[in-house]
mmCIF file of all heavy atoms in Angstrom:
data_model
loop_
_atom_site.group_PDB
_atom_site.id
_atom_site.type_symbol
_atom_site.label_atom_id
_atom_site.label_comp_id
_atom_site.label_asym_id
_atom_site.label_seq_id
_atom_site.Cartn_x
_atom_site.Cartn_y
_atom_site.Cartn_z
ATOM 1 N N TRP D 1 19.835 32.515 31.140
ATOM 2 C CA TRP D 1 20.384 33.790 30.671
ATOM 3 C C TRP D 1 21.687 33.571 29.939
ATOM 4 O O TRP D 1 21.956 34.198 28.919
ATOM 5 C CB TRP D 1 20.585 34.753 31.835
ATOM 6 C CG TRP D 1 19.298 35.349 32.294
ATOM 7 C CD1 TRP D 1 18.641 35.112 33.452
ATOM 8 C CD2 TRP D 1 18.498 36.281 31.566
ATOM 9 N NE1 TRP D 1 17.483 35.826 33.501
ATOM 10 C CE2 TRP D 1 17.368 36.558 32.356
ATOM 11 C CE3 TRP D 1 18.617 36.903 30.338
ATOM 12 C CZ2 TRP D 1 16.375 37.425 31.951
ATOM 13 C CZ3 TRP D 1 17.635 37.768 29.932
ATOM 14 C CH2 TRP D 1 16.522 38.027 30.736
ATOM 15 N N PHE D 2 22.523 32.667 30.447
ATOM 16 C CA PHE D 2 23.793 32.384 29.771
ATOM 17 C C PHE D 2 23.539 31.813 28.377
ATOM 18 O O PHE D 2 24.194 32.207 27.409
ATOM 19 C CB PHE D 2 24.632 31.405 30.597
ATOM 20 C CG PHE D 2 25.911 31.032 29.923
ATOM 21 C CD1 PHE D 2 26.960 31.938 29.845
ATOM 22 C CD2 PHE D 2 26.066 29.783 29.358
ATOM 23 C CE1 PHE D 2 28.137 31.604 29.221
ATOM 24 C CE2 PHE D 2 27.241 29.439 28.727
ATOM 25 C CZ PHE D 2 28.283 30.343 28.655
ATOM 26 N N SER D 3 22.576 30.922 28.254
ATOM 27 C CA SER D 3 22.258 30.344 26.944
ATOM 28 C C SER D 3 21.741 31.398 25.987
ATOM 29 O O SER D 3 22.119 31.420 24.810
ATOM 30 C CB SER D 3 21.218 29.237 27.097
ATOM 31 O OG SER D 3 21.712 28.197 27.882
ATOM 32 N N LEU D 4 20.877 32.274 26.472
ATOM 33 C CA LEU D 4 20.348 33.332 25.610
ATOM 34 C C LEU D 4 21.444 34.286 25.153
ATOM 35 O O LEU D 4 21.523 34.637 23.972
ATOM 36 C CB LEU D 4 19.256 34.105 26.341
ATOM 37 C CG LEU D 4 17.931 33.372 26.534
ATOM 38 C CD1 LEU D 4 17.018 34.179 27.428
ATOM 39 C CD2 LEU D 4 17.283 33.122 25.203
ATOM 40 N N VAL D 5 22.286 34.718 26.070
ATOM 41 C CA VAL D 5 23.367 35.639 25.709
ATOM 42 C C VAL D 5 24.338 34.962 24.751
ATOM 43 O O VAL D 5 24.793 35.573 23.773
ATOM 44 C CB VAL D 5 24.081 36.148 26.982
ATOM 45 C CG1 VAL D 5 25.352 36.890 26.636
ATOM 46 C CG2 VAL D 5 23.156 37.040 27.784
ATOM 47 N N ASN D 6 24.624 33.692 24.987
ATOM 48 C CA ASN D 6 25.521 32.952 24.100
ATOM 49 C C ASN D 6 24.941 32.868 22.691
ATOM 50 O O ASN D 6 25.653 33.098 21.704
ATOM 51 C CB ASN D 6 25.757 31.550 24.675
ATOM 52 C CG ASN D 6 26.805 30.794 23.917
ATOM 53 O OD1 ASN D 6 27.672 31.381 23.278
ATOM 54 N ND2 ASN D 6 26.734 29.476 23.978
ATOM 55 N N SER D 7 23.666 32.575 22.573
ATOM 56 C CA SER D 7 23.036 32.491 21.253
ATOM 57 C C SER D 7 23.041 33.842 20.545
ATOM 58 O O SER D 7 23.315 33.919 19.347
ATOM 59 C CB SER D 7 21.599 31.993 21.390
ATOM 60 O OG SER D 7 21.579 30.706 21.942
ATOM 61 N N ILE D 8 22.744 34.898 21.273
ATOM 62 C CA ILE D 8 22.730 36.236 20.668
ATOM 63 C C ILE D 8 24.109 36.633 20.180
ATOM 64 O O ILE D 8 24.262 37.180 19.083
ATOM 65 C CB ILE D 8 22.159 37.262 21.670
ATOM 66 C CG1 ILE D 8 20.664 37.021 21.871
ATOM 67 C CG2 ILE D 8 22.407 38.692 21.206
ATOM 68 C CD1 ILE D 8 20.058 37.823 22.994
ATOM 69 N N VAL D 9 25.145 36.344 20.963
ATOM 70 C CA VAL D 9 26.512 36.682 20.558
ATOM 71 C C VAL D 9 26.903 35.909 19.306
ATOM 72 O O VAL D 9 27.508 36.470 18.380
ATOM 73 C CB VAL D 9 27.490 36.416 21.719
ATOM 74 C CG1 VAL D 9 28.927 36.455 21.250
ATOM 75 C CG2 VAL D 9 27.273 37.428 22.830
ATOM 76 N N ILE D 10 26.546 34.638 19.238
ATOM 77 C CA ILE D 10 26.879 33.837 18.057
ATOM 78 C C ILE D 10 26.150 34.369 16.822
ATOM 79 O O ILE D 10 26.746 34.494 15.742
ATOM 80 C CB ILE D 10 26.546 32.351 18.304
ATOM 81 C CG1 ILE D 10 27.551 31.766 19.300
ATOM 82 C CG2 ILE D 10 26.574 31.554 17.012
ATOM 83 C CD1 ILE D 10 27.237 30.369 19.757
ATOM 84 N N VAL D 11 24.867 34.717 16.960
ATOM 85 C CA VAL D 11 24.114 35.253 15.827
ATOM 86 C C VAL D 11 24.711 36.577 15.360
ATOM 87 O O VAL D 11 24.871 36.814 14.154
ATOM 88 C CB VAL D 11 22.627 35.411 16.196
ATOM 89 C CG1 VAL D 11 21.891 36.267 15.189
ATOM 90 C CG2 VAL D 11 21.966 34.058 16.313
ATOM 91 N N LEU D 12 25.063 37.460 16.293
ATOM 92 C CA LEU D 12 25.673 38.739 15.918
ATOM 93 C C LEU D 12 27.018 38.537 15.236
ATOM 94 O O LEU D 12 27.341 39.220 14.256
ATOM 95 C CB LEU D 12 25.817 39.636 17.148
ATOM 96 C CG LEU D 12 24.517 40.185 17.722
ATOM 97 C CD1 LEU D 12 24.797 40.980 19.001
ATOM 98 C CD2 LEU D 12 23.802 41.044 16.704
ATOM 99 N N PHE D 13 27.819 37.604 15.728
ATOM 100 C CA PHE D 13 29.114 37.335 15.116
ATOM 101 C C PHE D 13 28.955 36.813 13.690
ATOM 102 O O PHE D 13 29.624 37.293 12.765
ATOM 103 C CB PHE D 13 29.893 36.319 15.968
ATOM 104 C CG PHE D 13 31.192 35.900 15.372
ATOM 105 C CD1 PHE D 13 32.272 36.765 15.367
ATOM 106 C CD2 PHE D 13 31.338 34.650 14.802
ATOM 107 C CE1 PHE D 13 33.480 36.391 14.814
ATOM 108 C CE2 PHE D 13 32.534 34.260 14.248
ATOM 109 C CZ PHE D 13 33.607 35.128 14.252
ATOM 110 N N LEU D 14 28.053 35.850 13.493
ATOM 111 C CA LEU D 14 27.850 35.304 12.153
ATOM 112 C C LEU D 14 27.249 36.340 11.207
ATOM 113 O O LEU D 14 27.620 36.408 10.033
ATOM 114 C CB LEU D 14 26.959 34.068 12.223
ATOM 115 C CG LEU D 14 27.595 32.854 12.907
ATOM 116 C CD1 LEU D 14 26.592 31.723 13.023
ATOM 117 C CD2 LEU D 14 28.829 32.391 12.162
ATOM 118 N N THR D 15 26.344 37.178 11.705
ATOM 119 C CA THR D 15 25.787 38.245 10.879
ATOM 120 C C THR D 15 26.865 39.229 10.466
ATOM 121 O O THR D 15 26.907 39.682 9.318
ATOM 122 C CB THR D 15 24.664 38.970 11.646
ATOM 123 O OG1 THR D 15 23.686 38.012 12.033
ATOM 124 C CG2 THR D 15 24.033 40.050 10.798
ATOM 125 N N GLY D 16 27.757 39.555 11.391
ATOM 126 C CA GLY D 16 28.876 40.442 11.070
ATOM 127 C C GLY D 16 29.797 39.854 10.018
ATOM 128 O O GLY D 16 30.262 40.561 9.119
ATOM 129 N N MET D 17 30.055 38.556 10.115
ATOM 130 C CA MET D 17 30.918 37.909 9.125
ATOM 131 C C MET D 17 30.282 37.940 7.731
ATOM 132 O O MET D 17 30.956 38.243 6.738
ATOM 133 C CB MET D 17 31.190 36.456 9.538
ATOM 134 C CG MET D 17 32.026 36.325 10.788
ATOM 135 S SD MET D 17 33.679 37.008 10.597
ATOM 136 C CE MET D 17 34.380 35.849 9.476
ATOM 137 N N VAL D 18 29.000 37.627 7.638
ATOM 138 C CA VAL D 18 28.309 37.660 6.345
ATOM 139 C C VAL D 18 28.280 39.080 5.797
ATOM 140 O O VAL D 18 28.499 39.306 4.603
ATOM 141 C CB VAL D 18 26.882 37.074 6.481
ATOM 142 C CG1 VAL D 18 26.061 37.327 5.236
ATOM 143 C CG2 VAL D 18 26.949 35.592 6.782
ATOM 144 N N ALA D 19 28.045 40.057 6.662
ATOM 145 C CA ALA D 19 28.026 41.451 6.213
ATOM 146 C C ALA D 19 29.393 41.878 5.691
ATOM 147 O O ALA D 19 29.482 42.580 4.676
ATOM 148 C CB ALA D 19 27.582 42.361 7.356
ATOM 149 N N MET D 20 30.457 41.453 6.365
ATOM 150 C CA MET D 20 31.807 41.799 5.881
ATOM 151 C C MET D 20 32.083 41.185 4.520
ATOM 152 O O MET D 20 32.648 41.838 3.636
ATOM 153 C CB MET D 20 32.867 41.340 6.886
ATOM 154 C CG MET D 20 33.051 42.282 8.026
ATOM 155 S SD MET D 20 34.462 41.964 9.107
ATOM 156 C CE MET D 20 35.144 40.438 8.613
ATOM 157 N N ILE D 21 31.683 39.946 4.326
ATOM 158 C CA ILE D 21 31.912 39.287 3.033
ATOM 159 C C ILE D 21 31.128 39.990 1.929
ATOM 160 O O ILE D 21 31.660 40.257 0.843
ATOM 161 C CB ILE D 21 31.527 37.798 3.133
ATOM 162 C CG1 ILE D 21 32.521 37.059 4.027
ATOM 163 C CG2 ILE D 21 31.478 37.155 1.751
ATOM 164 C CD1 ILE D 21 32.105 35.657 4.405
ATOM 165 N N LEU D 22 29.862 40.324 2.196
ATOM 166 C CA LEU D 22 29.062 41.024 1.189
ATOM 167 C C LEU D 22 29.612 42.418 0.891
ATOM 168 O O LEU D 22 29.670 42.835 -0.271
ATOM 169 C CB LEU D 22 27.610 41.130 1.652
ATOM 170 C CG LEU D 22 26.780 39.854 1.530
ATOM 171 C CD1 LEU D 22 25.406 40.063 2.139
ATOM 172 C CD2 LEU D 22 26.656 39.441 0.080
ATOM 173 N N LEU D 23 30.010 43.138 1.921
ATOM 174 C CA LEU D 23 30.572 44.474 1.695
ATOM 175 C C LEU D 23 31.864 44.418 0.897
ATOM 176 O O LEU D 23 32.117 45.258 0.031
ATOM 177 C CB LEU D 23 30.796 45.182 3.026
ATOM 178 C CG LEU D 23 29.530 45.725 3.696
ATOM 179 C CD1 LEU D 23 29.864 46.302 5.063
ATOM 180 C CD2 LEU D 23 28.890 46.780 2.820
ATOM 181 N N ARG D 24 32.695 43.421 1.187
ATOM 182 C CA ARG D 24 33.941 43.277 0.436
ATOM 183 C C ARG D 24 33.653 42.984 -1.037
ATOM 184 O O ARG D 24 34.277 43.570 -1.932
ATOM 185 C CB ARG D 24 34.782 42.160 1.051
ATOM 186 C CG ARG D 24 36.160 42.049 0.412
ATOM 187 C CD ARG D 24 36.984 40.991 1.074
ATOM 188 N NE ARG D 24 37.242 41.389 2.461
ATOM 189 C CZ ARG D 24 37.814 40.607 3.351
ATOM 190 N NH1 ARG D 24 38.159 39.382 3.027
ATOM 191 N NH2 ARG D 24 38.035 41.034 4.572
ATOM 192 N N ALA D 25 32.686 42.085 -1.305
ATOM 193 C CA ALA D 25 32.343 41.763 -2.694
ATOM 194 C C ALA D 25 31.742 42.974 -3.402
ATOM 195 O O ALA D 25 32.083 43.258 -4.557
ATOM 196 C CB ALA D 25 31.370 40.588 -2.723
ATOM 197 N N LEU D 26 30.851 43.691 -2.730
ATOM 198 C CA LEU D 26 30.257 44.874 -3.340
ATOM 199 C C LEU D 26 31.289 45.972 -3.583
ATOM 200 O O LEU D 26 31.264 46.644 -4.621
ATOM 201 C CB LEU D 26 29.124 45.413 -2.472
ATOM 202 C CG LEU D 26 27.835 44.597 -2.486
ATOM 203 C CD1 LEU D 26 26.861 45.141 -1.457
ATOM 204 C CD2 LEU D 26 27.211 44.603 -3.861
ATOM 205 N N HIS D 27 32.190 46.145 -2.640
ATOM 206 C CA HIS D 27 33.244 47.166 -2.814
ATOM 207 C C HIS D 27 34.115 46.831 -4.013
ATOM 208 O O HIS D 27 34.471 47.717 -4.807
ATOM 209 C CB HIS D 27 34.079 47.275 -1.541
ATOM 210 C CG HIS D 27 35.091 48.360 -1.606
ATOM 211 N ND1 HIS D 27 36.385 48.139 -2.032
ATOM 212 C CD2 HIS D 27 35.006 49.684 -1.315
ATOM 213 C CE1 HIS D 27 37.048 49.270 -1.998
ATOM 214 N NE2 HIS D 27 36.229 50.224 -1.560
ATOM 215 N N LYS D 28 34.435 45.542 -4.163
ATOM 216 C CA LYS D 28 35.256 45.138 -5.300
ATOM 217 C C LYS D 28 34.522 45.365 -6.619
ATOM 218 O O LYS D 28 35.106 45.863 -7.591
ATOM 219 C CB LYS D 28 35.636 43.656 -5.152
ATOM 220 C CG LYS D 28 36.620 43.188 -6.192
ATOM 221 C CD LYS D 28 37.198 41.805 -5.933
ATOM 222 C CE LYS D 28 36.227 40.807 -5.410
ATOM 223 N NZ LYS D 28 36.744 39.439 -5.365
ATOM 224 N N ASP D 29 33.218 45.035 -6.668
ATOM 225 C CA ASP D 29 32.437 45.262 -7.887
ATOM 226 C C ASP D 29 32.309 46.743 -8.208
ATOM 227 O O ASP D 29 32.412 47.152 -9.368
ATOM 228 C CB ASP D 29 31.049 44.642 -7.751
ATOM 229 C CG ASP D 29 31.065 43.139 -7.942
ATOM 230 O OD1 ASP D 29 32.095 42.613 -8.406
ATOM 231 O OD2 ASP D 29 30.047 42.508 -7.618
ATOM 232 N N ILE D 30 32.070 47.559 -7.205
ATOM 233 C CA ILE D 30 31.928 48.996 -7.442
ATOM 234 C C ILE D 30 33.232 49.595 -7.947
ATOM 235 O O ILE D 30 33.240 50.436 -8.855
ATOM 236 C CB ILE D 30 31.435 49.703 -6.163
ATOM 237 C CG1 ILE D 30 29.979 49.326 -5.905
ATOM 238 C CG2 ILE D 30 31.574 51.213 -6.268
ATOM 239 C CD1 ILE D 30 29.435 49.810 -4.588
ATOM 240 N N SER D 31 34.350 49.164 -7.401
ATOM 241 C CA SER D 31 35.631 49.676 -7.898
ATOM 242 C C SER D 31 35.878 49.239 -9.342
ATOM 243 O O SER D 31 36.420 49.995 -10.143
ATOM 244 C CB SER D 31 36.777 49.235 -6.994
ATOM 245 O OG SER D 31 36.941 47.844 -7.040
ATOM 246 N N ARG D 32 35.451 48.019 -9.706
ATOM 247 C CA ARG D 32 35.577 47.573 -11.103
ATOM 248 C C ARG D 32 34.701 48.427 -12.020
ATOM 249 O O ARG D 32 35.116 48.796 -13.123
ATOM 250 C CB ARG D 32 35.163 46.114 -11.244
ATOM 251 C CG ARG D 32 36.190 45.137 -10.786
ATOM 252 C CD ARG D 32 35.704 43.738 -11.079
ATOM 253 N NE ARG D 32 36.498 42.745 -10.400
ATOM 254 C CZ ARG D 32 36.169 41.474 -10.289
ATOM 255 N NH1 ARG D 32 35.033 41.046 -10.819
ATOM 256 N NH2 ARG D 32 36.950 40.634 -9.671
ATOM 257 N N TYR D 33 33.457 48.720 -11.579
ATOM 258 C CA TYR D 33 32.573 49.540 -12.394
ATOM 259 C C TYR D 33 33.159 50.931 -12.613
ATOM 260 O O TYR D 33 33.072 51.490 -13.697
ATOM 261 C CB TYR D 33 31.196 49.663 -11.750
ATOM 262 C CG TYR D 33 30.450 48.362 -11.621
ATOM 263 C CD1 TYR D 33 29.590 48.145 -10.571
ATOM 264 C CD2 TYR D 33 30.609 47.344 -12.556
ATOM 265 C CE1 TYR D 33 28.895 46.953 -10.443
ATOM 266 C CE2 TYR D 33 29.938 46.152 -12.428
ATOM 267 C CZ TYR D 33 29.078 45.957 -11.382
ATOM 268 O OH TYR D 33 28.399 44.781 -11.258
#
């Protein structure tokens, strides 16, 4: 259970980081447009 929870937390954290980077890039492009 500890291994499963650890893996899920890491996947959620990395997904959140990628989503933040994409949202920041899209927000910057939309403001330029």
Side-chain angles (χ1 to χ4, degrees):
W1 284 110
F2 177 73
S3 298
L4 288 172
V5 169
N6 187 25
S7 298
I8 290 171
V9 167
I10 289 173
V11 166
L12 290 176
F13 176 73
L14 292 175
T15 304
M17 293 297 291
V18 170
M20 279 190 353
I21 291 169
L22 283 175
L23 284 175
R24 186 177 295 172
L26 286 173
H27 185 267
K28 187 170 40 171
D29 282 348
I30 289 172
S31 66
R32 282 184 193 168
Y33 297 148

